Amino acid sequence: MAKHVLILGGNGALGKAVVDSFARHKWNTLSLDLTANERASRSFLLRPGANWVEQAGLLETELRGALQQQKLAAIVNVAGGWAGGNAADPDFLANCDLMWRQSVQSSVIAAQLAARHGAPGSLLVLSGAASARQPTPFMLAYGMAKAAVHQLTASLAGPESGLPPNATVVALLPSTLDTPGNRAGMPQADTSSWTPLPFVADLVHTWAEGKERPQSGSLVSLVTQSGATRIEVSRS
Amino acid sequence: MAKHVLILGGNGALGKAVVDSFARHKWNTLSLDLTANERASRSFLLRPGANWVEQAGLLETELRGALQQQKLAAIVNVAGGWAGGNAADPDFLANCDLMWRQSVQSSVIAAQLAARHGAPGSLLVLSGAASARQPTPFMLAYGMAKAAVHQLTASLAGPESGLPPNATVVALLPSTLDTPGNRAGMPQADTSSWTPLPFVADLVHTWAEGKERPQSGSLVSLVTQSGATRIEVSRS
């Protein structure tokens, strides 16, 4: 029987790559995003008007219907965003809100679903940031949200965190992903240090299959140089 | 002329001690809290119905009126709260919201006010937690919020963070404070490892006077053993 994966942010650039990688290996792919991913087995849509607690409840109801008592073998959160600005920025408070919603709330919902619907030994992947392992004075809101995700990752790996038995939680810490958006936004950049999306997607799929999994709680940095990518595993 | 200090959470247990310490040294003490601190020079009241961006705007208007073009020599955020629970807790999402509002939003507002109204060389004190330097599986929401505050502290100490020239930002990392609430909640506990509030308040006041300030960006753990308290200074 096909294994089930839920991808939060499943119709973004990285989310599409993740859906494709799992689909190629005959997984049942469940996408959550503002828009449908037509290549996913099924798409759940975010409702922009709902608050996140309502949103999480609605999603869980739809998910229960889709799973029919089965469990998720993998939950992958690649939702997120970026905002710059320091404490003197007029948008500082608004950016803190936005980063919290995009990175932290999505990670918290992923963790809750992993606790409730993850199979024993399932995989939970969250999205951190390599930059947030250092001070981030020029992007305060982003750094705070990603630091919170790193702490969540470390904490979920601890005893009695609520995750299923033998679950693995890992945070991906990309530097710059090679997405259409980044190519459009930084047309002059040297892309040889950007991480290709299929590398990330296949890495996540490999872990989901139970192969080469890092220790639970790991922060996995993706380091691309001259077009070649390696991973560096650390702890928060 | 009296120097000005703003204390966020100025009518809580620690906030009262901070107000008293500064008042004893003839500072102009401005308290922000849900209720007035009658011993403060002036109290600004939080409006429970307002969202935090509105709240920050209202506070700033009142603060401008009180300061009359003068600057704050110290901004101290001792607002906060605590919530336990793991990813399987029914209140997980609600607790994440609450911890974010109490610890992170108050710290962000403090940072914004420091950027806009802090004097050169002023002091900004935020409230972290010693426990959140490690994984916090049994209090996920609290750990995430405090990790975000630690990141904010480190980031605000960096170049171009928006703080005034030569400002110092420090996070206090208490373990257990000797408050009436903690005594009521843990009546059987050994209080000899609890940190007395006047120690904390006088420490903050000393830094505000420009004495014995830790390096900007420091996380200052308060370690009390057998009734004696020492500080341990580290970086995030």
Side-chain angles (χ1 to χ4, degrees):
Chain A
M1 186 185 297
K3 286 183 280 194
H4 307 286
V5 56
L6 174 69
I7 301 119
L8 294 89
N11 203 33
L14 179 54
K16 285 177 182 170
V18 172
V19 166
D20 288 349
S21 182
F22 279 83
R24 208 159 49 237
H25 294 90
K26 312 297 180 199
W27 283 58
N28 185 40
T29 55
L30 308 171
S31 168
L32 172 70
D33 211 321
L34 286 162
T35 52
N37 180 329
E38 303 298 345
R39 297 209 288 267
S41 310
R42 180 148 175 189
S43 286
F44 306 120
L45 297 184
L46 284 166
R47 288 160 181 80
N51 75 47
W52 74 301
V53 175
E54 293 166 357
Q55 190 78 72
L58 291 166
L59 170 62
E60 197 177 8
T61 302
E62 293 186 307
L63 185 64
R64 277 185 208 279
L67 288 176
Q68 298 286 341
Q69 312 287 335
Q70 297 174 67
K71 294 286 188 181
L72 291 164
I75 298 102
V76 181
N77 179 27
V78 289
W82 184 86
N86 68 14
D89 191 289
D91 293 327
F92 180 36
L93 272 60
N95 283 339
C96 288
D97 249 354
L98 185 64
M99 293 300 97
W100 182 255
R101 283 187 277 117
Q102 292 183 337
S103 284
V104 183
Q105 289 186 347
S106 62
S107 298
V108 166
I109 288 174
Q112 186 180 61
L113 291 173
R116 294 182 178 178
H117 301 285
S122 54
L123 175 72
L124 171 62
V125 177
L126 303 177
S127 291
S131 53
R133 306 213 61 196
Q134 304 295 327
T136 47
F138 46 93
M139 45 183 193
L140 290 176
Y142 180 79
M144 275 195 290
K146 292 299 189 182
V149 172
H150 297 174
Q151 176 74 15
L152 178 62
T153 303
S155 297
L156 287 170
E160 308 286 337
S161 73
L163 290 193
N166 303 314
T168 297
V169 54
V170 175
L172 289 170
L173 276 57
S175 295
T176 306
L177 293 174
D178 189 355
T179 64
N182 282 336
R183 287 202 175 240
M186 295 176 268
Q188 311 299 330
D190 170 15
T191 60
S192 71
S193 65
W194 293 10
T195 304
L197 300 180
F199 178 94
V200 188
D202 291 345
L203 183 67
V204 170
H205 168 261
T206 301
W207 295 339
E209 295 285 8
K211 298 175 203 155
E212 299 170 35
R213 280 194 189 180
Q215 189 182 349
S216 191
S218 292
L219 307 181
V220 179
S221 297
L222 304 170
V223 181
T224 303
Q225 287 171 329
S226 308
T229 302
R230 67 175 192 279
I231 66 171
E232 291 180 357
V233 178
S234 61
R235 317 275 296 176
S236 78
Chain B
M1 188 187 295
K3 286 183 280 194
H4 306 286
V5 57
L6 173 69
I7 301 117
L8 293 89
N11 203 33
L14 178 55
K16 285 177 182 168
V18 172
V19 167
D20 287 350
S21 181
F22 279 83
R24 208 160 47 239
H25 294 90
K26 311 297 179 200
W27 283 58
N28 185 41
T29 55
L30 307 171
S31 168
L32 172 71
D33 211 322
L34 286 162
T35 51
N37 180 330
E38 304 296 347
R39 297 208 289 267
S41 309
R42 181 147 173 190
S43 286
F44 306 120
L45 297 185
L46 284 166
R47 288 159 180 82
N51 75 46
W52 74 301
V53 175
E54 294 166 353
Q55 190 77 73
L58 292 165
L59 169 63
E60 197 177 9
T61 302
E62 292 187 308
L63 185 64
R64 278 185 207 278
L67 289 176
Q68 298 286 339
Q69 312 288 336
Q70 297 175 67
K71 293 286 188 180
L72 291 163
I75 299 102
V76 180
N77 179 27
V78 289
W82 184 88
N86 69 14
D89 191 290
D91 292 327
F92 179 37
L93 272 60
N95 284 338
C96 288
D97 250 354
L98 185 65
M99 294 299 97
W100 182 255
R101 284 188 276 117
Q102 291 183 338
S103 283
V104 183
Q105 289 186 347
S106 61
S107 298
V108 166
I109 289 174
Q112 186 179 61
L113 292 173
R116 295 181 178 177
H117 301 285
S122 55
L123 175 72
L124 170 62
V125 176
L126 304 177
S127 291
S131 53
R133 306 215 60 197
Q134 304 295 327
T136 46
F138 47 92
M139 47 183 193
L140 290 177
Y142 179 80
M144 276 195 290
K146 292 299 190 183
V149 172
H150 298 174
Q151 176 74 15
L152 179 62
T153 304
S155 297
L156 287 170
E160 310 286 338
S161 74
L163 291 192
N166 303 315
T168 297
V169 53
V170 174
L172 291 171
L173 277 56
S175 293
T176 306
L177 293 174
D178 189 356
T179 64
N182 282 336
R183 285 200 176 244
M186 296 176 268
Q188 310 297 330
D190 170 15
T191 60
S192 71
S193 65
W194 293 11
T195 304
L197 300 181
F199 178 94
V200 188
D202 290 345
L203 183 67
V204 170
H205 168 261
T206 300
W207 295 339
E209 296 284 8
K211 298 175 203 156
E212 299 169 35
R213 279 194 190 182
Q215 189 182 350
S216 190
S218 293
L219 308 181
V220 179
S221 297
L222 305 169
V223 182
T224 304
Q225 287 171 328
S226 308
T229 301
R230 67 176 193 279
I231 67 171
E232 291 180 356
V233 177
S234 60
R235 317 274 296 174
S236 78

